Short mmCIF file of all heavy atoms in Angstrom, two decimals:
data_model
loop_
_atom_site.label_atom_id
_atom_site.label_comp_id
_atom_site.label_asym_id
_atom_site.label_seq_id
_atom_site.Cartn_x
_atom_site.Cartn_y
_atom_site.Cartn_z
N HIS A 333 -6.36 5.33 -4.25
CA HIS A 333 -7.23 6.31 -4.85
C HIS A 333 -8.66 5.97 -4.35
O HIS A 333 -9.21 4.96 -4.70
CB HIS A 333 -7.17 6.34 -6.35
CG HIS A 333 -5.81 6.74 -6.82
ND1 HIS A 333 -5.61 7.97 -7.48
CD2 HIS A 333 -4.62 6.14 -6.77
CE1 HIS A 333 -4.34 8.04 -7.85
NE2 HIS A 333 -3.72 6.98 -7.41
N ASN A 334 -9.27 6.90 -3.56
CA ASN A 334 -10.53 6.63 -2.93
C ASN A 334 -11.73 7.13 -3.80
O ASN A 334 -11.62 8.20 -4.34
CB ASN A 334 -10.57 7.21 -1.55
CG ASN A 334 -9.71 6.42 -0.55
OD1 ASN A 334 -10.08 5.33 -0.19
ND2 ASN A 334 -8.58 6.96 -0.18
N GLY A 335 -12.77 6.32 -3.77
CA GLY A 335 -13.96 6.71 -4.54
C GLY A 335 -15.23 6.22 -3.91
O GLY A 335 -15.25 5.67 -2.85
N MET A 336 -16.33 6.53 -4.59
CA MET A 336 -17.66 6.14 -4.18
C MET A 336 -18.44 5.57 -5.37
O MET A 336 -18.16 5.97 -6.52
CB MET A 336 -18.40 7.36 -3.57
CG MET A 336 -17.98 7.77 -2.21
SD MET A 336 -18.16 6.52 -0.92
CE MET A 336 -19.93 6.13 -1.09
N LEU A 337 -19.41 4.75 -5.06
CA LEU A 337 -20.27 4.09 -6.12
C LEU A 337 -21.67 3.98 -5.58
O LEU A 337 -21.87 3.71 -4.37
CB LEU A 337 -19.66 2.73 -6.39
CG LEU A 337 -20.33 1.78 -7.37
CD1 LEU A 337 -19.29 0.97 -8.13
CD2 LEU A 337 -21.31 0.86 -6.69
N THR A 338 -22.68 4.24 -6.44
CA THR A 338 -24.06 4.11 -6.06
C THR A 338 -24.88 3.55 -7.13
O THR A 338 -24.61 3.75 -8.31
CB THR A 338 -24.61 5.49 -5.58
OG1 THR A 338 -25.91 5.28 -5.01
CG2 THR A 338 -24.70 6.44 -6.78
N PHE A 339 -25.90 2.71 -6.76
CA PHE A 339 -26.82 2.17 -7.72
C PHE A 339 -28.17 1.85 -7.02
O PHE A 339 -28.27 1.93 -5.81
CB PHE A 339 -26.23 0.89 -8.34
CG PHE A 339 -25.93 -0.23 -7.36
CD1 PHE A 339 -26.89 -1.21 -7.08
CD2 PHE A 339 -24.68 -0.30 -6.72
CE1 PHE A 339 -26.59 -2.25 -6.17
CE2 PHE A 339 -24.41 -1.28 -5.77
CZ PHE A 339 -25.36 -2.29 -5.51
N LEU A 340 -29.18 1.55 -7.87
CA LEU A 340 -30.45 1.13 -7.39
C LEU A 340 -30.59 -0.36 -7.43
O LEU A 340 -30.02 -1.03 -8.30
CB LEU A 340 -31.56 1.78 -8.27
CG LEU A 340 -31.56 3.27 -8.41
CD1 LEU A 340 -32.69 3.72 -9.38
CD2 LEU A 340 -31.74 3.98 -7.09
N TYR A 341 -31.41 -0.96 -6.50
CA TYR A 341 -31.58 -2.38 -6.52
C TYR A 341 -32.95 -2.73 -5.91
O TYR A 341 -33.50 -1.91 -5.19
CB TYR A 341 -30.47 -3.14 -5.74
CG TYR A 341 -30.51 -2.99 -4.29
CD1 TYR A 341 -31.09 -3.91 -3.45
CD2 TYR A 341 -29.90 -1.86 -3.70
CE1 TYR A 341 -31.11 -3.78 -2.08
CE2 TYR A 341 -29.92 -1.68 -2.28
CZ TYR A 341 -30.53 -2.67 -1.49
OH TYR A 341 -30.56 -2.50 -0.14
N ARG A 342 -33.45 -3.91 -6.21
CA ARG A 342 -34.61 -4.46 -5.57
C ARG A 342 -34.26 -5.81 -4.95
O ARG A 342 -33.25 -6.44 -5.29
CB ARG A 342 -35.76 -4.62 -6.60
CG ARG A 342 -36.25 -3.35 -7.22
CD ARG A 342 -37.46 -3.67 -8.14
NE ARG A 342 -37.86 -2.56 -8.97
CZ ARG A 342 -38.71 -1.64 -8.58
NH1 ARG A 342 -39.24 -1.63 -7.36
NH2 ARG A 342 -39.04 -0.62 -9.43
N ALA A 343 -35.13 -6.27 -4.05
CA ALA A 343 -34.84 -7.51 -3.35
C ALA A 343 -34.83 -8.68 -4.28
O ALA A 343 -34.21 -9.75 -4.00
CB ALA A 343 -35.94 -7.71 -2.24
N ASP A 344 -35.50 -8.62 -5.48
CA ASP A 344 -35.52 -9.69 -6.39
C ASP A 344 -34.28 -9.79 -7.26
O ASP A 344 -34.13 -10.70 -8.13
CB ASP A 344 -36.76 -9.63 -7.32
CG ASP A 344 -36.74 -8.39 -8.20
OD1 ASP A 344 -35.74 -7.63 -8.17
OD2 ASP A 344 -37.73 -8.16 -8.97
N GLY A 345 -33.28 -8.93 -7.01
CA GLY A 345 -32.06 -8.95 -7.80
C GLY A 345 -31.95 -8.00 -8.94
O GLY A 345 -30.94 -7.86 -9.59
N SER A 346 -33.02 -7.20 -9.18
CA SER A 346 -33.02 -6.17 -10.25
C SER A 346 -32.07 -5.04 -9.81
O SER A 346 -32.01 -4.70 -8.64
CB SER A 346 -34.42 -5.58 -10.47
OG SER A 346 -35.31 -6.65 -10.82
N THR A 347 -31.34 -4.49 -10.76
CA THR A 347 -30.40 -3.45 -10.51
C THR A 347 -30.39 -2.40 -11.59
O THR A 347 -30.80 -2.68 -12.73
CB THR A 347 -28.97 -3.96 -10.36
OG1 THR A 347 -28.56 -4.55 -11.58
CG2 THR A 347 -28.82 -4.95 -9.23
N SER A 348 -29.94 -1.20 -11.30
CA SER A 348 -29.72 -0.13 -12.28
C SER A 348 -28.19 -0.19 -12.59
O SER A 348 -27.43 -1.05 -12.07
CB SER A 348 -30.05 1.20 -11.70
OG SER A 348 -29.12 1.59 -10.70
N ARG A 349 -27.77 0.74 -13.41
CA ARG A 349 -26.33 1.01 -13.57
C ARG A 349 -25.82 1.66 -12.30
O ARG A 349 -26.66 2.18 -11.51
CB ARG A 349 -26.04 1.91 -14.76
CG ARG A 349 -26.53 1.39 -16.08
CD ARG A 349 -26.18 2.40 -17.20
NE ARG A 349 -26.74 3.75 -16.88
CZ ARG A 349 -26.30 4.88 -17.42
NH1 ARG A 349 -25.28 4.84 -18.28
NH2 ARG A 349 -26.85 5.99 -17.08
N ALA A 350 -24.56 1.62 -12.10
CA ALA A 350 -23.92 2.33 -11.00
C ALA A 350 -23.15 3.55 -11.53
O ALA A 350 -22.52 3.49 -12.57
CB ALA A 350 -22.94 1.41 -10.24
N ALA A 351 -23.27 4.64 -10.80
CA ALA A 351 -22.41 5.80 -11.02
C ALA A 351 -21.24 5.74 -10.05
O ALA A 351 -21.45 5.45 -8.86
CB ALA A 351 -23.19 7.10 -10.81
N TRP A 352 -20.07 5.97 -10.53
CA TRP A 352 -18.86 5.85 -9.69
C TRP A 352 -17.95 7.00 -10.00
O TRP A 352 -17.90 7.55 -11.11
CB TRP A 352 -18.13 4.54 -9.85
CG TRP A 352 -17.61 4.31 -11.27
CD1 TRP A 352 -18.19 3.72 -12.28
CD2 TRP A 352 -16.26 4.70 -11.70
NE1 TRP A 352 -17.41 3.73 -13.39
CE2 TRP A 352 -16.22 4.32 -13.06
CE3 TRP A 352 -15.21 5.35 -11.13
CZ2 TRP A 352 -15.06 4.57 -13.84
CZ3 TRP A 352 -14.05 5.60 -11.90
CH2 TRP A 352 -13.97 5.16 -13.26
N GLU A 353 -17.16 7.42 -9.00
CA GLU A 353 -16.15 8.40 -9.20
C GLU A 353 -15.02 8.24 -8.15
O GLU A 353 -15.21 7.76 -7.06
CB GLU A 353 -16.72 9.83 -9.12
CG GLU A 353 -17.25 10.21 -7.79
CD GLU A 353 -17.96 11.60 -7.83
OE1 GLU A 353 -18.89 11.77 -8.68
OE2 GLU A 353 -17.59 12.47 -7.08
N VAL A 354 -13.81 8.61 -8.60
CA VAL A 354 -12.61 8.66 -7.81
C VAL A 354 -12.10 10.04 -7.86
O VAL A 354 -11.64 10.54 -8.92
CB VAL A 354 -11.53 7.66 -8.30
CG1 VAL A 354 -10.25 7.82 -7.54
CG2 VAL A 354 -12.08 6.22 -8.22
N VAL A 355 -12.09 10.78 -6.69
CA VAL A 355 -11.74 12.16 -6.69
C VAL A 355 -10.83 12.55 -5.54
O VAL A 355 -10.73 13.72 -5.15
CB VAL A 355 -13.02 13.05 -6.65
CG1 VAL A 355 -13.79 12.98 -7.93
CG2 VAL A 355 -13.92 12.66 -5.44
N GLY A 356 -10.07 11.58 -5.03
CA GLY A 356 -9.12 11.83 -3.94
C GLY A 356 -8.19 10.68 -3.81
O GLY A 356 -8.51 9.57 -4.22
N GLU A 357 -7.00 10.88 -3.28
CA GLU A 357 -6.00 9.86 -3.16
C GLU A 357 -4.99 10.15 -2.14
O GLU A 357 -4.88 11.27 -1.62
CB GLU A 357 -5.28 9.63 -4.54
CG GLU A 357 -4.45 10.83 -4.99
CD GLU A 357 -5.23 11.93 -5.58
OE1 GLU A 357 -5.99 11.75 -6.51
OE2 GLU A 357 -5.11 13.12 -5.04
N THR A 358 -4.22 9.12 -1.76
CA THR A 358 -3.03 9.32 -1.01
C THR A 358 -1.88 8.69 -1.93
O THR A 358 -1.59 7.52 -1.90
CB THR A 358 -3.01 8.54 0.34
OG1 THR A 358 -4.22 8.94 1.01
CG2 THR A 358 -1.82 8.91 1.18
N CYS A 359 -1.36 9.54 -2.78
CA CYS A 359 -0.39 9.10 -3.80
C CYS A 359 0.29 10.33 -4.33
O CYS A 359 -0.27 11.18 -5.03
CB CYS A 359 -1.13 8.46 -4.96
SG CYS A 359 -0.06 7.72 -6.23
N ALA A 360 1.62 10.46 -4.01
CA ALA A 360 2.38 11.67 -4.30
C ALA A 360 2.67 11.74 -5.82
O ALA A 360 2.82 12.86 -6.36
CB ALA A 360 3.68 11.66 -3.57
N TYR A 361 2.72 10.66 -6.53
CA TYR A 361 3.21 10.70 -7.91
C TYR A 361 2.09 10.50 -8.95
O TYR A 361 2.32 10.67 -10.13
CB TYR A 361 4.29 9.68 -8.16
CG TYR A 361 3.99 8.23 -7.73
CD1 TYR A 361 3.26 7.41 -8.51
CD2 TYR A 361 4.48 7.78 -6.50
CE1 TYR A 361 2.97 6.12 -8.15
CE2 TYR A 361 4.17 6.47 -6.08
CZ TYR A 361 3.44 5.62 -6.91
OH TYR A 361 3.13 4.36 -6.52
N LEU A 362 0.84 10.20 -8.51
CA LEU A 362 -0.24 10.05 -9.51
C LEU A 362 -1.49 10.59 -8.82
O LEU A 362 -2.05 9.98 -7.92
CB LEU A 362 -0.39 8.58 -9.90
CG LEU A 362 -1.56 8.36 -10.91
CD1 LEU A 362 -1.27 9.07 -12.24
CD2 LEU A 362 -1.77 6.85 -11.11
N LYS A 363 -1.98 11.72 -9.30
CA LYS A 363 -3.25 12.32 -8.84
C LYS A 363 -4.15 12.50 -10.02
O LYS A 363 -3.77 13.12 -11.01
CB LYS A 363 -2.97 13.65 -8.16
CG LYS A 363 -2.04 13.56 -6.90
CD LYS A 363 -1.75 14.96 -6.38
CE LYS A 363 -0.79 14.90 -5.22
NZ LYS A 363 -1.39 14.37 -4.01
N LEU A 364 -5.36 11.97 -9.90
CA LEU A 364 -6.31 12.04 -11.03
C LEU A 364 -7.72 11.93 -10.54
O LEU A 364 -7.98 11.30 -9.52
CB LEU A 364 -6.02 11.01 -12.04
CG LEU A 364 -6.36 9.51 -11.77
CD1 LEU A 364 -6.26 8.70 -13.06
CD2 LEU A 364 -5.45 8.88 -10.76
N ASP A 365 -8.67 12.48 -11.27
CA ASP A 365 -10.07 12.25 -11.12
C ASP A 365 -10.53 11.30 -12.21
O ASP A 365 -10.12 11.40 -13.38
CB ASP A 365 -10.88 13.53 -11.21
CG ASP A 365 -10.54 14.55 -10.15
OD1 ASP A 365 -10.17 14.12 -9.02
OD2 ASP A 365 -10.70 15.76 -10.38
N MET A 366 -11.35 10.31 -11.83
CA MET A 366 -11.95 9.37 -12.78
C MET A 366 -13.43 9.28 -12.43
O MET A 366 -13.78 9.24 -11.27
CB MET A 366 -11.29 7.99 -12.68
CG MET A 366 -9.84 7.94 -12.99
SD MET A 366 -9.20 6.20 -12.90
CE MET A 366 -8.98 6.03 -11.14
N TRP A 367 -14.26 9.09 -13.43
CA TRP A 367 -15.68 8.93 -13.21
C TRP A 367 -16.31 8.22 -14.34
O TRP A 367 -15.81 8.20 -15.47
CB TRP A 367 -16.33 10.30 -12.92
CG TRP A 367 -16.29 11.25 -14.11
CD1 TRP A 367 -17.22 11.42 -15.09
CD2 TRP A 367 -15.24 12.16 -14.39
NE1 TRP A 367 -16.81 12.36 -15.97
CE2 TRP A 367 -15.60 12.86 -15.56
CE3 TRP A 367 -14.01 12.48 -13.78
CZ2 TRP A 367 -14.78 13.81 -16.12
CZ3 TRP A 367 -13.20 13.43 -14.34
CH2 TRP A 367 -13.56 14.10 -15.49
N GLY A 368 -17.47 7.60 -14.08
CA GLY A 368 -18.18 6.89 -15.15
C GLY A 368 -19.32 6.06 -14.61
O GLY A 368 -19.77 6.22 -13.45
N MET A 369 -19.79 5.13 -15.43
CA MET A 369 -20.89 4.28 -15.14
C MET A 369 -20.42 2.83 -15.15
O MET A 369 -19.37 2.52 -15.76
CB MET A 369 -22.08 4.46 -16.06
CG MET A 369 -22.55 5.94 -16.23
SD MET A 369 -23.13 6.62 -14.63
CE MET A 369 -24.57 5.63 -14.42
N ALA A 370 -21.17 1.97 -14.51
CA ALA A 370 -20.83 0.52 -14.51
C ALA A 370 -22.13 -0.33 -14.50
O ALA A 370 -23.11 0.18 -13.96
CB ALA A 370 -19.98 0.15 -13.28
N THR A 371 -22.05 -1.47 -15.09
CA THR A 371 -23.17 -2.37 -14.97
C THR A 371 -23.08 -3.09 -13.63
O THR A 371 -21.99 -3.28 -13.09
CB THR A 371 -23.24 -3.45 -16.09
OG1 THR A 371 -21.98 -4.24 -16.01
CG2 THR A 371 -23.31 -2.73 -17.47
N VAL A 372 -24.22 -3.44 -13.09
CA VAL A 372 -24.26 -4.11 -11.74
C VAL A 372 -25.12 -5.35 -11.91
O VAL A 372 -26.31 -5.29 -12.30
CB VAL A 372 -24.82 -3.22 -10.66
CG1 VAL A 372 -24.87 -3.98 -9.35
CG2 VAL A 372 -24.04 -1.92 -10.52
N ASP A 373 -24.54 -6.47 -11.68
CA ASP A 373 -25.27 -7.78 -11.64
C ASP A 373 -25.34 -8.27 -10.24
O ASP A 373 -24.33 -8.41 -9.55
CB ASP A 373 -24.57 -8.82 -12.58
CG ASP A 373 -24.57 -8.35 -14.01
OD1 ASP A 373 -25.61 -8.16 -14.59
OD2 ASP A 373 -23.43 -8.25 -14.54
N LEU A 374 -26.52 -8.61 -9.78
CA LEU A 374 -26.75 -9.07 -8.42
C LEU A 374 -27.22 -10.49 -8.44
O LEU A 374 -28.30 -10.81 -8.92
CB LEU A 374 -27.74 -8.19 -7.71
CG LEU A 374 -28.23 -8.60 -6.32
CD1 LEU A 374 -27.04 -8.76 -5.38
CD2 LEU A 374 -29.19 -7.57 -5.76
N ASN A 375 -26.42 -11.38 -7.91
CA ASN A 375 -26.77 -12.79 -7.70
C ASN A 375 -27.29 -12.96 -6.30
O ASN A 375 -26.59 -12.72 -5.31
CB ASN A 375 -25.59 -13.65 -7.96
CG ASN A 375 -25.89 -15.15 -7.78
OD1 ASN A 375 -26.85 -15.54 -7.19
ND2 ASN A 375 -25.02 -16.01 -8.36
N THR A 376 -28.55 -13.29 -6.15
CA THR A 376 -29.19 -13.26 -4.80
C THR A 376 -29.05 -14.62 -4.05
O THR A 376 -29.66 -14.84 -3.07
CB THR A 376 -30.73 -12.96 -4.94
OG1 THR A 376 -31.32 -13.94 -5.85
CG2 THR A 376 -30.89 -11.57 -5.50
N GLU A 377 -28.20 -15.51 -4.53
CA GLU A 377 -27.93 -16.71 -3.79
C GLU A 377 -27.23 -16.33 -2.47
O GLU A 377 -26.24 -15.66 -2.48
CB GLU A 377 -27.03 -17.66 -4.57
CG GLU A 377 -26.70 -18.97 -3.82
CD GLU A 377 -25.82 -19.90 -4.66
OE1 GLU A 377 -25.61 -19.65 -5.85
OE2 GLU A 377 -25.35 -20.90 -4.03
N PRO A 378 -27.79 -16.70 -1.33
CA PRO A 378 -27.27 -16.24 -0.03
C PRO A 378 -25.79 -16.61 0.19
O PRO A 378 -25.36 -17.71 -0.23
CB PRO A 378 -28.19 -16.90 1.00
CG PRO A 378 -29.44 -17.18 0.26
CD PRO A 378 -28.99 -17.54 -1.13
N LEU A 379 -25.11 -15.71 0.84
CA LEU A 379 -23.67 -16.03 1.18
C LEU A 379 -23.61 -17.02 2.32
O LEU A 379 -24.40 -17.07 3.22
CB LEU A 379 -23.02 -14.70 1.66
CG LEU A 379 -23.00 -13.52 0.67
CD1 LEU A 379 -22.23 -12.39 1.37
CD2 LEU A 379 -22.30 -13.90 -0.62
N LYS A 380 -22.61 -17.85 2.20
CA LYS A 380 -22.29 -18.77 3.29
C LYS A 380 -21.63 -17.90 4.46
O LYS A 380 -20.93 -16.96 4.25
CB LYS A 380 -21.30 -19.83 2.85
CG LYS A 380 -21.86 -20.77 1.85
CD LYS A 380 -20.86 -21.82 1.43
CE LYS A 380 -21.37 -22.79 0.38
NZ LYS A 380 -20.38 -23.80 -0.05
N HIS A 381 -21.97 -18.30 5.67
CA HIS A 381 -21.40 -17.64 6.84
C HIS A 381 -21.76 -16.14 6.94
O HIS A 381 -21.02 -15.31 7.50
CB HIS A 381 -19.88 -17.74 6.90
CG HIS A 381 -19.43 -19.19 6.69
ND1 HIS A 381 -19.80 -20.22 7.51
CD2 HIS A 381 -18.61 -19.74 5.76
CE1 HIS A 381 -19.26 -21.34 7.13
NE2 HIS A 381 -18.55 -21.09 6.04
N ALA A 382 -22.89 -15.73 6.36
CA ALA A 382 -23.32 -14.37 6.39
C ALA A 382 -23.52 -13.83 7.80
O ALA A 382 -23.20 -12.70 8.12
CB ALA A 382 -24.59 -14.16 5.57
N ASP A 383 -23.93 -14.75 8.68
CA ASP A 383 -24.23 -14.34 10.04
C ASP A 383 -22.90 -14.01 10.74
O ASP A 383 -22.85 -13.09 11.62
CB ASP A 383 -24.90 -15.47 10.82
CG ASP A 383 -24.23 -16.80 10.75
OD1 ASP A 383 -23.48 -16.99 9.77
OD2 ASP A 383 -24.45 -17.61 11.66
N LEU A 384 -21.84 -14.72 10.44
CA LEU A 384 -20.50 -14.39 10.98
C LEU A 384 -19.99 -13.05 10.53
O LEU A 384 -19.37 -12.31 11.26
CB LEU A 384 -19.53 -15.52 10.64
CG LEU A 384 -19.83 -16.90 11.20
CD1 LEU A 384 -18.76 -17.90 10.76
CD2 LEU A 384 -20.00 -16.87 12.74
N LEU A 385 -20.26 -12.74 9.24
CA LEU A 385 -19.85 -11.42 8.72
C LEU A 385 -20.56 -10.32 9.48
O LEU A 385 -19.93 -9.27 9.83
CB LEU A 385 -20.17 -11.31 7.27
CG LEU A 385 -19.28 -12.07 6.25
CD1 LEU A 385 -19.90 -12.01 4.87
CD2 LEU A 385 -17.89 -11.49 6.28
N VAL A 386 -21.86 -10.45 9.69
CA VAL A 386 -22.60 -9.43 10.43
C VAL A 386 -22.10 -9.30 11.84
O VAL A 386 -21.90 -8.16 12.35
CB VAL A 386 -24.11 -9.78 10.42
CG1 VAL A 386 -24.88 -8.87 11.35
CG2 VAL A 386 -24.65 -9.69 8.98
N LYS A 387 -21.89 -10.41 12.51
CA LYS A 387 -21.42 -10.40 13.91
C LYS A 387 -20.05 -9.74 14.00
O LYS A 387 -19.83 -8.84 14.87
CB LYS A 387 -21.35 -11.80 14.48
CG LYS A 387 -20.90 -11.84 15.91
CD LYS A 387 -20.87 -13.23 16.41
CE LYS A 387 -20.38 -13.33 17.86
NZ LYS A 387 -20.32 -14.75 18.38
N ALA A 388 -19.16 -10.07 13.08
CA ALA A 388 -17.80 -9.52 13.11
C ALA A 388 -17.80 -8.00 12.83
O ALA A 388 -17.07 -7.24 13.49
CB ALA A 388 -16.95 -10.19 12.09
#
Side-chain angles (χ1 to χ4, degrees):
H333 296 248
N334 285 289
M336 287 297 308
L337 178 147
T338 188
F339 61 92
L340 306 176
Y341 71 96
R342 296 184 190 274
D344 63 3
S346 303
T347 61
S348 71
R349 299 180 305 161
W352 63 271
E353 64 186 55
V354 173
V355 290
E357 65 284 304
T358 310
C359 185
Y361 52 82
L362 180 64
K363 298 176 183 290
L364 75 167
D365 295 332
M366 297 182 281
W367 62 92
M369 307 299 294
T371 61
V372 180
D373 297 301
L374 173 57
N375 181 341
T376 57
E377 181 179 349
L379 301 180
K380 295 180 180 179
H381 310 302
D383 55 335
L384 297 180
L385 286 172
V386 170
K387 181 179 179 181

